[in-house]
Every structure is written in structure tokens, then in C-alpha cells.
Coordinates of all heavy atoms in Angstrom, one line a residue:
M603 N 43.6 -11.2 -18.3 CA 43.5 -10.9 -16.9 C 42.4 -9.9 -16.6 O 41.6 -10.0 -15.7 CB 44.9 -10.4 -16.4 CG 44.9 -10.2 -14.9 SD 44.6 -11.7 -13.9 CE 44.5 -11.1 -12.3
L604 N 42.4 -8.8 -17.4 CA 41.4 -7.8 -17.3 C 40.0 -8.4 -17.5 O 39.0 -8.0 -16.8 CB 41.6 -6.7 -18.3 CG 42.5 -5.5 -17.8 CD1 42.7 -4.5 -18.9 CD2 41.9 -4.8 -16.6
R605 N 39.9 -9.3 -18.4 CA 38.6 -9.9 -18.7 C 38.1 -10.7 -17.5 O 37.0 -10.6 -17.1 CB 38.8 -10.9 -19.9 CG 37.6 -11.3 -20.5 CD 37.9 -12.2 -21.7 NE 36.8 -13.2 -21.9 CZ 35.7 -12.9 -22.6 NH1 35.6 -11.7 -23.2 NH2 34.8 -13.8 -22.8
F606 N 39.1 -11.4 -16.9 CA 38.7 -12.1 -15.7 C 38.2 -11.2 -14.6 O 37.2 -11.5 -13.9 CB 40.0 -12.9 -15.2 CG 39.8 -13.6 -13.9 CD1 39.0 -14.7 -13.7 CD2 40.3 -13.0 -12.7 CE1 38.8 -15.3 -12.5 CE2 40.2 -13.6 -11.5 CZ 39.4 -14.8 -11.4
L607 N 38.9 -10.1 -14.4 CA 38.5 -9.1 -13.4 C 37.1 -8.5 -13.7 O 36.3 -8.3 -12.8 CB 39.6 -8.0 -13.3 CG 40.8 -8.3 -12.5 CD1 41.8 -7.1 -12.6 CD2 40.5 -8.6 -11.1
A608 N 36.9 -8.3 -15.0 CA 35.6 -7.7 -15.4 C 34.5 -8.7 -15.0 O 33.4 -8.3 -14.5 CB 35.6 -7.4 -16.9
I609 N 34.8 -10.0 -15.3 CA 33.8 -11.0 -15.0 C 33.5 -11.1 -13.5 O 32.4 -11.2 -13.0 CB 34.2 -12.4 -15.6 CG1 34.1 -12.3 -17.2 CG2 33.3 -13.5 -15.1 CD1 34.8 -13.5 -17.8
L610 N 34.6 -11.1 -12.8 CA 34.5 -11.2 -11.3 C 33.7 -10.0 -10.8 O 32.9 -10.2 -9.9 CB 35.9 -11.2 -10.7 CG 36.0 -11.5 -9.2 CD1 35.7 -13.0 -9.0 CD2 37.4 -11.2 -8.7
F611 N 34.0 -8.8 -11.3 CA 33.4 -7.6 -10.9 C 31.9 -7.7 -11.2 O 31.0 -7.4 -10.3 CB 34.0 -6.4 -11.6 CG 33.5 -5.1 -11.1 CD1 33.8 -4.7 -9.8 CD2 32.8 -4.2 -12.0 CE1 33.3 -3.4 -9.4 CE2 32.4 -3.0 -11.5 CZ 32.6 -2.6 -10.2
A612 N 31.6 -8.1 -12.4 CA 30.1 -8.3 -12.8 C 29.4 -9.2 -11.9 O 28.3 -9.0 -11.4 CB 30.1 -8.7 -14.3
F613 N 30.1 -10.3 -11.6 CA 29.5 -11.4 -10.7 C 29.2 -10.8 -9.3 O 28.1 -11.0 -8.8 CB 30.5 -12.5 -10.6 CG 30.0 -13.7 -10.0 CD1 29.0 -14.5 -10.6 CD2 30.4 -14.1 -8.7 CE1 28.5 -15.7 -10.0 CE2 29.8 -15.2 -8.1 CZ 28.9 -16.0 -8.7
V614 N 30.2 -10.0 -8.8 CA 30.0 -9.4 -7.5 C 28.8 -8.5 -7.5 O 28.1 -8.4 -6.5 CB 31.3 -8.7 -7.0 CG1 31.1 -7.8 -5.9 CG2 32.4 -9.8 -6.7
L615 N 28.7 -7.8 -8.6 CA 27.5 -6.8 -8.7 C 26.2 -7.6 -8.9 O 25.2 -7.2 -8.3 CB 27.8 -5.9 -9.9 CG 28.7 -4.7 -9.6 CD1 28.7 -3.8 -10.9 CD2 28.1 -3.8 -8.5
V616 N 26.2 -8.6 -9.7 CA 25.0 -9.3 -10.1 C 24.4 -10.1 -9.0 O 23.2 -10.1 -8.8 CB 25.2 -10.1 -11.4 CG1 24.1 -11.1 -11.6 CG2 25.4 -9.2 -12.6
V617 N 25.2 -10.8 -8.2 CA 24.7 -11.7 -7.2 C 23.8 -11.0 -6.2 O 22.7 -11.5 -5.9 CB 25.9 -12.4 -6.5 CG1 25.4 -13.1 -5.2 CG2 26.5 -13.5 -7.5
P618 N 24.2 -9.8 -5.6 CA 23.3 -9.2 -4.7 C 22.0 -8.8 -5.3 O 20.9 -8.8 -4.7 CB 24.1 -7.9 -4.2 CG 25.5 -8.2 -4.5 CD 25.5 -9.1 -5.7
V619 N 22.1 -8.4 -6.6 CA 20.8 -8.0 -7.3 C 19.9 -9.2 -7.4 O 18.7 -9.1 -7.2 CB 21.2 -7.4 -8.7 CG1 19.9 -7.2 -9.5 CG2 22.0 -6.1 -8.6
I620 N 20.5 -10.3 -7.8 CA 19.7 -11.5 -8.0 C 19.0 -11.9 -6.6 O 17.9 -12.2 -6.5 CB 20.5 -12.7 -8.5 CG1 20.8 -12.4 -10.0 CG2 19.8 -14.0 -8.4 CD1 21.8 -13.4 -10.6
R621 N 19.9 -11.8 -5.6 CA 19.4 -12.1 -4.2 C 18.2 -11.2 -3.8 O 17.2 -11.6 -3.2 CB 20.5 -12.1 -3.2 CG 21.5 -13.2 -3.3 CD 22.4 -13.2 -2.2 NE 21.7 -13.3 -0.9 CZ 22.3 -13.7 0.3 NH1 23.6 -14.0 0.3 NH2 21.6 -13.8 1.4
F622 N 18.4 -9.9 -4.2 CA 17.4 -8.9 -3.9 C 16.1 -9.2 -4.6 O 15.0 -9.2 -4.0 CB 17.9 -7.5 -4.3 CG 16.9 -6.4 -4.1 CD1 16.6 -6.0 -2.8 CD2 16.3 -5.8 -5.1 CE1 15.7 -5.0 -2.6 CE2 15.4 -4.8 -5.0 CZ 15.1 -4.4 -3.7
V623 N 16.2 -9.6 -5.9 CA 15.0 -9.9 -6.7 C 14.3 -11.1 -6.1 O 13.1 -11.1 -6.0 CB 15.4 -10.0 -8.2 CG1 14.2 -10.6 -9.0 CG2 15.8 -8.7 -8.7
L624 N 15.1 -12.1 -5.8 CA 14.5 -13.4 -5.3 C 13.8 -13.1 -4.0 O 12.8 -13.6 -3.7 CB 15.6 -14.4 -5.1 CG 16.1 -15.1 -6.4 CD1 17.2 -16.1 -6.1 CD2 15.0 -15.8 -7.1
G625 N 14.4 -12.2 -3.1 CA 13.8 -11.8 -1.9 C 12.5 -11.2 -2.1 O 11.5 -11.4 -1.4
L626 N 12.5 -10.2 -3.1 CA 11.2 -9.5 -3.4 C 10.1 -10.5 -3.8 O 9.0 -10.5 -3.4 CB 11.4 -8.5 -4.5 CG 12.0 -7.2 -4.1 CD1 12.1 -6.2 -5.3 CD2 11.2 -6.5 -3.0
L627 N 10.5 -11.4 -4.7 CA 9.6 -12.4 -5.2 C 9.1 -13.3 -4.1 O 7.9 -13.6 -4.0 CB 10.3 -13.3 -6.3 CG 10.5 -12.6 -7.7 CD1 11.3 -13.6 -8.6 CD2 9.2 -12.3 -8.3
G628 N 10.0 -13.7 -3.2 CA 9.6 -14.5 -2.1 C 8.6 -13.8 -1.2 O 7.6 -14.4 -0.8
R629 N 8.8 -12.5 -1.0 CA 7.9 -11.7 -0.1 C 6.6 -11.5 -0.8 O 5.5 -11.6 -0.2 CB 8.6 -10.4 0.2 CG 8.4 -10.0 1.6 CD 9.1 -8.6 1.9 NE 10.5 -8.6 1.5 CZ 11.2 -7.6 1.2 NH1 10.6 -6.4 1.3 NH2 12.4 -7.6 0.9
A630 N 6.6 -11.3 -2.1 CA 5.4 -11.1 -2.9 C 4.6 -12.4 -2.8 O 3.4 -12.3 -2.7 CB 5.7 -10.7 -4.4
F631 N 5.3 -13.5 -3.0 CA 4.6 -14.8 -2.9 C 3.9 -15.0 -1.6 O 2.8 -15.5 -1.4 CB 5.5 -15.9 -3.3 CG 4.9 -17.3 -3.3 CD1 4.1 -17.7 -4.3 CD2 5.0 -18.1 -2.2 CE1 3.4 -18.9 -4.3 CE2 4.4 -19.4 -2.2 CZ 3.6 -19.8 -3.3
T632 N 4.7 -14.7 -0.5 CA 4.2 -14.8 0.8 C 2.9 -14.0 1.1 O 1.9 -14.4 1.6 CB 5.2 -14.5 1.9 OG1 6.4 -15.2 1.6 CG2 4.8 -14.7 3.3
N633 N 3.0 -12.7 0.6 CA 1.8 -11.8 0.7 C 0.6 -12.4 0.0 O -0.5 -12.3 0.4 CB 2.2 -10.4 0.2 CG 3.1 -9.7 1.1 OD1 3.2 -10.0 2.3 ND2 3.7 -8.6 0.6
F634 N 0.9 -12.9 -1.2 CA -0.1 -13.5 -2.1 C -0.8 -14.6 -1.3 O -2.0 -14.7 -1.2 CB 0.5 -13.9 -3.4 CG -0.5 -14.5 -4.3 CD1 -1.4 -13.7 -5.0 CD2 -0.5 -15.9 -4.6 CE1 -2.3 -14.3 -5.9 CE2 -1.4 -16.5 -5.5 CZ -2.3 -15.7 -6.1
A635 N 0.0 -15.5 -0.8 CA -0.5 -16.7 -0.1 C -1.3 -16.3 1.2 O -2.4 -16.8 1.4 CB 0.7 -17.6 0.3
L636 N -0.8 -15.3 1.9 CA -1.5 -14.8 3.1 C -2.8 -14.1 2.7 O -3.8 -14.3 3.4 CB -0.6 -13.8 3.9 CG 0.6 -14.5 4.6 CD1 1.4 -13.3 5.3 CD2 0.0 -15.4 5.7
G637 N -2.8 -13.4 1.6 CA -3.9 -12.7 1.1 C -5.1 -13.6 0.7 O -6.2 -13.3 0.9
N638 N -4.7 -14.8 0.2 CA -5.7 -15.7 -0.2 C -6.3 -16.5 1.0 O -7.4 -17.0 0.9 CB -5.1 -16.8 -1.2 CG -5.1 -16.2 -2.6 OD1 -5.6 -15.1 -2.8 ND2 -4.4 -16.9 -3.5
R639 N -5.6 -16.5 2.1 CA -6.1 -17.2 3.3 C -7.2 -16.3 3.9 O -7.1 -15.1 3.9 CB -5.0 -17.4 4.2 CG -5.2 -18.7 5.0 CD -4.2 -18.8 6.1 NE -2.8 -18.9 5.7 CZ -1.8 -18.5 6.5 NH1 -2.0 -18.1 7.7 NH2 -0.6 -18.6 6.1
A640 N -8.2 -16.9 4.4 CA -9.2 -16.2 5.2 C -8.6 -15.5 6.4 O -7.7 -16.1 7.0 CB -10.4 -17.2 5.6
A641 N -9.2 -14.4 6.7 CA -8.6 -13.6 7.9 C -8.7 -14.4 9.1 O -9.8 -14.8 9.6 CB -9.3 -12.3 8.0
G642 N -7.6 -14.7 9.7 CA -7.5 -15.5 10.9 C -6.9 -14.7 12.0 O -6.7 -13.5 11.9
P643 N -6.5 -15.3 13.1 CA -5.9 -14.6 14.3 C -4.5 -14.0 13.9 O -4.1 -13.0 14.4 CB -5.7 -15.7 15.3 CG -6.5 -16.9 14.9 CD -6.7 -16.7 13.4
G644 N -3.9 -14.6 12.9 CA -2.6 -14.1 12.4 C -2.7 -12.9 11.6 O -1.7 -12.3 11.2
Q645 N -3.9 -12.5 11.2 CA -4.1 -11.4 10.3 C -4.5 -10.1 11.1 O -5.3 -9.4 10.6 CB -5.2 -11.8 9.3 CG -4.7 -12.8 8.3 CD -3.9 -12.2 7.2 OE1 -4.4 -11.3 6.5 NE2 -2.7 -12.6 7.0
A646 N -3.9 -9.9 12.2 CA -4.3 -8.8 13.1 C -3.7 -7.5 12.5 O -4.1 -6.4 13.0 CB -3.9 -9.0 14.5
K647 N -2.8 -7.6 11.6 CA -2.2 -6.4 11.0 C -3.2 -5.4 10.5 O -4.2 -5.9 9.7 CB -1.2 -6.7 9.9 CG 0.2 -6.9 10.5 CD 1.2 -7.1 9.4 CE 1.3 -8.5 8.8 NZ 2.2 -8.6 7.7
P648 N -3.1 -4.1 10.7 CA -4.1 -3.2 10.2 C -3.9 -3.1 8.7 O -2.8 -3.3 8.2 CB -3.8 -1.9 10.8 CG -2.3 -2.0 11.3 CD -2.1 -3.5 11.5
R649 N -4.9 -2.8 8.0 CA -4.8 -2.6 6.5 C -4.0 -1.4 6.2 O -4.1 -0.4 6.8 CB -6.2 -2.5 5.9 CG -7.0 -3.8 6.0 CD -8.4 -3.6 5.3 NE -8.2 -3.4 3.9 CZ -9.2 -3.2 3.1 NH1 -10.4 -3.1 3.6 NH2 -9.1 -3.0 1.8
V650 N -3.2 -1.6 5.2 CA -2.3 -0.5 4.7 C -3.2 0.6 4.1 O -4.0 0.2 3.2 CB -1.2 -1.0 3.7 CG1 -0.3 0.1 3.4 CG2 -0.5 -2.2 4.4
P651 N -3.1 1.8 4.5 CA -3.9 2.9 3.9 C -3.5 3.2 2.5 O -4.3 3.9 1.9 CB -3.7 4.1 4.9 CG -2.6 3.7 5.8 CD -2.2 2.3 5.6
A652 N -2.4 2.7 2.0 CA -2.0 3.0 0.7 C -2.8 2.2 -0.3 O -3.4 1.1 0.1 CB -0.6 2.7 0.5
G653 N -2.9 2.6 -1.5 CA -3.7 1.8 -2.5 C -5.1 2.3 -2.6 O -5.6 2.9 -1.7
G654 N -5.7 1.9 -3.7 CA -7.1 2.4 -3.9 C -7.1 3.8 -4.4 O -6.1 4.5 -4.4
T655 N -8.3 4.3 -4.8 CA -8.4 5.6 -5.2 C -8.5 6.6 -4.1 O -9.1 6.3 -3.1 CB -9.8 5.8 -6.0 OG1 -9.8 4.7 -7.0 CG2 -9.9 7.1 -6.7
L656 N -7.8 7.7 -4.2 CA -7.7 8.7 -3.2 C -8.9 9.7 -3.4 O -9.2 10.1 -4.5 CB -6.4 9.5 -3.3 CG -5.2 8.8 -2.8 CD1 -4.0 9.7 -2.9 CD2 -5.4 8.3 -1.3
R657 N -9.6 9.9 -2.3 CA -10.7 10.8 -2.2 C -10.4 12.0 -1.3 O -9.8 11.8 -0.2 CB -12.0 10.1 -1.8 CG -12.4 9.0 -2.7 CD -12.9 9.5 -4.0 NE -13.3 8.4 -4.9 CZ -14.0 8.5 -6.0 NH1 -14.3 9.7 -6.4 NH2 -14.3 7.5 -6.7
K658 N -11.0 13.2 -1.6 CA -10.7 14.3 -0.7 C -11.8 14.4 0.3 O -13.0 14.4 0.0 CB -10.6 15.6 -1.6 CG -10.0 16.7 -0.8 CD -9.9 18.0 -1.7 CE -9.2 19.1 -0.9 NZ -9.2 20.3 -1.7
D659 N -11.3 14.5 1.6 CA -12.2 14.7 2.7 C -12.7 16.2 2.5 O -11.9 17.1 2.5 CB -11.4 14.6 4.0 CG -12.2 14.8 5.2 OD1 -13.1 15.6 5.2 OD2 -11.9 14.1 6.2
P660 N -14.1 16.4 2.4 CA -14.6 17.7 2.1 C -14.5 18.6 3.4 O -14.7 19.8 3.2 CB -16.1 17.5 1.8 CG -16.4 16.2 2.3 CD -15.1 15.4 2.4
V661 N -14.2 18.1 4.5 CA -14.2 18.9 5.7 C -12.7 19.4 6.0 O -12.5 20.6 6.1 CB -14.7 18.1 7.0 CG1 -14.5 18.9 8.2 CG2 -16.1 17.7 6.8
C662 N -11.8 18.5 6.0 CA -10.4 18.9 6.4 C -9.5 19.0 5.2 O -8.4 19.5 5.3 CB -9.8 18.1 7.5 SG -9.5 16.4 6.9
G663 N -10.0 18.4 4.0 CA -9.1 18.5 2.8 C -8.1 17.4 2.7 O -7.3 17.4 1.8
T664 N -8.1 16.5 3.7 CA -7.1 15.3 3.6 C -7.5 14.4 2.5 O -8.7 14.1 2.3 CB -7.1 14.6 5.0 OG1 -6.8 15.5 6.0 CG2 -6.2 13.4 4.9
F665 N -6.5 13.9 1.8 CA -6.8 12.8 0.8 C -6.8 11.5 1.5 O -5.8 11.2 2.2 CB -5.8 12.9 -0.4 CG -6.1 14.0 -1.3 CD1 -5.5 15.3 -1.2 CD2 -7.1 13.8 -2.3 CE1 -5.9 16.3 -2.0 CE2 -7.4 14.9 -3.2 CZ -6.8 16.1 -3.0
V666 N -7.8 10.7 1.3 CA -7.9 9.5 2.0 C -8.3 8.4 1.0 O -9.1 8.6 0.1 CB -9.0 9.6 3.2 CG1 -10.3 10.0 2.7 CG2 -9.1 8.3 3.9
S667 N -7.7 7.2 1.2 CA -8.0 6.1 0.3 C -9.4 5.6 0.5 O -9.9 5.5 1.6 CB -7.0 5.0 0.6 OG -7.4 3.8 -0.1
E668 N -10.1 5.3 -0.7 CA -11.4 4.8 -0.6 C -11.5 3.5 0.3 O -12.6 3.3 0.9 CB -11.8 4.3 -2.0 CG -12.6 5.4 -2.8 CD -13.0 4.8 -4.2 OE1 -12.7 3.7 -4.5 OE2 -13.6 5.6 -4.9
D669 N -10.4 2.8 0.3 CA -10.5 1.5 1.1 C -10.6 1.7 2.6 O -11.2 0.9 3.3 CB -9.2 0.7 0.8 CG -9.0 0.3 -0.6 OD1 -10.1 0.3 -1.3 OD2 -7.9 -0.1 -1.0
V670 N -10.1 2.9 3.1 CA -10.1 3.1 4.5 C -11.0 4.3 4.9 O -11.1 4.6 6.1 CB -8.7 3.3 5.1 CG1 -7.9 2.0 4.9 CG2 -8.0 4.4 4.4
A671 N -11.6 5.0 4.0 CA -12.4 6.2 4.3 C -13.7 5.8 5.0 O -14.2 4.7 4.9 CB -12.7 6.9 3.0
I672 N -14.1 6.8 5.8 CA -15.4 6.7 6.4 C -16.4 7.2 5.3 O -16.3 8.3 4.8 CB -15.5 7.7 7.6 CG1 -14.3 7.5 8.6 CG2 -16.8 7.5 8.3 CD1 -14.3 6.2 9.3
L673 N -17.4 6.4 5.0 CA -18.3 6.7 3.9 C -19.6 7.3 4.4 O -20.1 7.0 5.5 CB -18.6 5.5 3.1 CG -17.4 4.7 2.5 CD1 -17.9 3.5 1.8 CD2 -16.6 5.6 1.6
L674 N -20.1 8.3 3.6 CA -21.4 8.9 3.9 C -22.1 9.1 2.6 O -21.5 9.9 1.7 CB -21.3 10.1 4.7 CG -22.6 10.9 5.0 CD1 -23.5 10.1 5.9 CD2 -22.3 12.3 5.5
S675 N -23.2 8.6 2.4 CA -24.0 8.8 1.2 C -25.0 9.8 1.4 O -25.8 9.7 2.3 CB -24.6 7.5 0.7 OG -25.4 7.7 -0.5
S676 N -25.0 11.0 0.7 CA -26.0 12.0 0.9 C -26.3 12.7 -0.4 O -25.3 13.0 -1.2 CB -25.6 13.0 2.0 OG -24.7 13.9 1.5
G677 N -27.5 12.9 -0.7 CA -27.9 13.6 -2.0 C -27.4 12.9 -3.2 O -27.1 13.6 -4.2
G678 N -27.4 11.6 -3.2 CA -26.9 10.8 -4.4 C -25.5 10.8 -4.6 O -24.9 10.3 -5.5
H679 N -24.7 11.5 -3.7 CA -23.2 11.5 -3.7 C -22.7 10.7 -2.6 O -23.2 10.7 -1.5 CB -22.7 12.9 -3.7 CG -23.0 13.7 -4.9 ND1 -22.2 13.6 -6.0 CD2 -23.9 14.6 -5.3 CE1 -22.6 14.3 -7.0 NE2 -23.7 15.0 -6.6
M680 N -21.5 10.1 -2.9 CA -20.8 9.4 -1.8 C -19.7 10.3 -1.4 O -18.9 10.9 -2.1 CB -20.2 8.1 -2.4 CG -19.6 7.2 -1.3 SD -20.7 6.7 0.0 CE -21.4 5.2 -0.8
H681 N -19.6 10.6 -0.1 CA -18.6 11.4 0.5 C -17.6 10.5 1.3 O -18.0 9.5 1.9 CB -19.2 12.5 1.4 CG -20.2 13.4 0.7 ND1 -19.8 14.4 -0.1 CD2 -21.5 13.4 0.7 CE1 -20.8 15.0 -0.6 NE2 -21.9 14.4 -0.2
Y682 N -16.4 11.0 1.3 CA -15.3 10.2 1.9 C -14.6 11.0 3.0 O -14.2 12.1 2.7 CB -14.3 9.7 0.9 CG -14.9 8.9 -0.2 CD1 -15.5 9.5 -1.3 CD2 -14.9 7.5 -0.2 CE1 -16.1 8.7 -2.3 CE2 -15.4 6.7 -1.2 CZ -16.1 7.3 -2.2 OH -16.6 6.6 -3.2
F683 N -14.5 10.5 4.2 CA -14.0 11.2 5.3 C -12.8 10.5 5.9 O -12.7 9.2 5.9 CB -15.0 11.5 6.4 CG -16.2 12.2 5.8 CD1 -17.3 11.5 5.4 CD2 -16.2 13.6 5.7 CE1 -18.4 12.2 4.8 CE2 -17.3 14.3 5.2 CZ -18.4 13.6 4.8
C684 N -11.9 11.3 6.5 CA -10.7 10.7 7.1 C -11.0 10.1 8.5 O -10.3 9.3 9.0 CB -9.5 11.7 7.2 SG -9.8 13.0 8.4
S685 N -12.1 10.6 9.1 CA -12.4 10.2 10.4 C -13.9 10.4 10.7 O -14.6 11.1 10.0 CB -11.6 11.1 11.4 OG -12.0 12.4 11.3
N686 N -14.4 9.8 11.8 CA -15.8 10.0 12.2 C -16.0 11.5 12.5 O -17.1 12.0 12.3 CB -16.1 9.1 13.4 CG -16.2 7.6 13.0 OD1 -16.7 7.3 11.9 ND2 -15.6 6.8 13.8
E687 N -15.0 12.1 13.1 CA -15.2 13.5 13.5 C -15.5 14.4 12.3 O -16.4 15.2 12.3 CB -13.9 14.1 14.1 CG -13.7 13.6 15.6 CD -13.2 12.2 15.7 OE1 -12.7 11.6 14.6 OE2 -13.3 11.6 16.7
C688 N -14.8 14.2 11.2 CA -15.0 15.0 10.0 C -16.4 14.7 9.4 O -17.1 15.5 8.9 CB -14.0 14.7 8.9 SG -12.4 15.5 9.3
R689 N -16.8 13.4 9.5 CA -18.1 13.0 8.9 C -19.2 13.7 9.8 O -20.2 14.3 9.2 CB -18.3 11.5 9.0 CG -19.6 11.0 8.4 CD -20.0 9.6 8.9 NE -20.0 9.6 10.3 CZ -20.0 8.5 11.0 NH1 -20.0 7.3 10.4 NH2 -20.1 8.5 12.4
D690 N -19.0 13.7 11.1 CA -20.0 14.4 12.0 C -20.1 15.9 11.7 O -21.2 16.5 11.7 CB -19.6 14.1 13.5 CG -19.8 12.7 13.8 OD1 -20.4 11.9 13.0 OD2 -19.3 12.3 14.9
K691 N -18.9 16.5 11.5 CA -18.9 17.9 11.2 C -19.7 18.2 9.9 O -20.5 19.1 9.8 CB -17.5 18.4 11.0 CG -16.8 18.9 12.3 CD -15.5 19.5 12.0 CE -14.5 19.4 13.2 NZ -13.1 19.7 12.8
F692 N -19.4 17.3 8.9 CA -20.1 17.5 7.6 C -21.6 17.4 7.8 O -22.4 18.1 7.2 CB -19.6 16.4 6.6 CG -20.1 16.5 5.2 CD1 -19.5 17.4 4.3 CD2 -21.2 15.8 4.8 CE1 -20.0 17.5 3.1 CE2 -21.7 15.9 3.6 CZ -21.1 16.8 2.7
Q693 N -22.0 16.4 8.6 CA -23.5 16.2 8.8 C -24.1 17.4 9.5 O -25.3 17.7 9.2 CB -23.7 14.9 9.5 CG -23.5 13.7 8.7 CD -23.7 12.4 9.5 OE1 -23.2 12.2 10.5 NE2 -24.6 11.5 8.9
K694 N -23.4 18.0 10.4 CA -23.9 19.2 11.1 C -24.1 20.4 10.2 O -25.0 21.2 10.3 CB -23.0 19.5 12.3 CG -23.3 18.7 13.5 CD -22.3 19.0 14.6 CE -22.3 17.8 15.6 NZ -21.1 17.9 16.5
Q695 N -23.1 20.5 9.3 CA -23.1 21.6 8.3 C -24.3 21.4 7.3 O -25.0 22.4 7.0 CB -21.9 21.6 7.4 CG -20.6 22.2 8.1 CD -19.4 22.0 7.3 OE1 -19.4 21.6 6.2 NE2 -18.2 22.2 8.0
A696 N -24.6 20.2 6.9 CA -25.6 19.9 5.9 C -27.0 20.2 6.5 O -27.3 20.1 7.7 CB -25.5 18.5 5.5
Ligands
ZN1457 ZN1 -10.9 14.9 7.8

């Protein structure tokens, strides 16, 4: 009887975990499929600022992802800014 209860208990615990994992896989697959598609009207979502290498904004000190940073190349160095305002300030200082 205890064995039966243990199996039942394990089953009750395992089923939500499996459903959760399947849900994650389904979502990952959907993202993958959407990512492969060329950007269309349905792709109006802004890019997630997470991911990519983080660079420090030399003006305000904010860490910003390379993917979304405002870039400025000067003196053979690439500078990364969180906003156009910071880039403009940097250019005025230089
Ligand atoms: Zn900044």
C-alpha cells in the first residue's frame, strides 16, 4: 500500500515537471521558428536588451549590451553608449 502511495505521489510530482519541460521546449521551438523567419509585420517586438557582451558606457557608467548599444568609433576604439545623449556628451568632451 505504501509503495502504491509512493508511486502515486511520484506521479503527481513528475507530471507537472514533464508538462513544464514540454512547455519550455515548445516555446523554445516557437522562438527558433520565428527567429528563422525574415522580419515581417508580426515581428514588431523590440529586441530584448539581454544577451550579447556587456559594455560600459564611458559617460554614465551604465552597462549596455553590444547588441543594442549606440556605437561610436574614435581613435581606433569602439565606444558603446546607452543613448544618443551619452554619445553626444562623449563627443563634446573629446
Ligand atoms: Zn549612458
Side-chain angles (χ1 to χ4, degrees):
M603 186 60 188
L604 267 179
R605 195 179 151 83
F606 172 75
L607 281 178
I609 291 169
L610 188 73
F611 187 66
F613 190 73
V614 165
L615 276 181
V616 163
V617 165
V619 171
I620 289 173
R621 287 189 59 163
F622 176 71
V623 170
L624 285 178
L626 278 184
L627 286 176
R629 224 178 304 158
F631 181 77
T632 306
N633 285 344
F634 179 73
L636 286 175
N638 277 353
R639 213 191 296 159
Q645 288 277 303
K647 268 189 275 176
R649 291 183 66 182
V650 183
T655 309
L656 286 180
R657 299 288 181 170
K658 194 176 182 184
D659 182 326
V661 175
C662 69
T664 300
F665 282 94
V666 57
S667 168
E668 267 183 358
D669 294 344
V670 294
I672 312 289
L673 303 179
L674 176 70
S675 178
S676 79
H679 286 279
M680 187 63 83
H681 300 282
Y682 300 84
F683 303 94
C684 70
S685 64
N686 289 321
E687 285 78 16
C688 284
R689 185 198 57 195
D690 292 346
K691 272 187 207 169
F692 184 82
Q693 282 179 311
K694 278 174 198 163
Q695 283 169 14

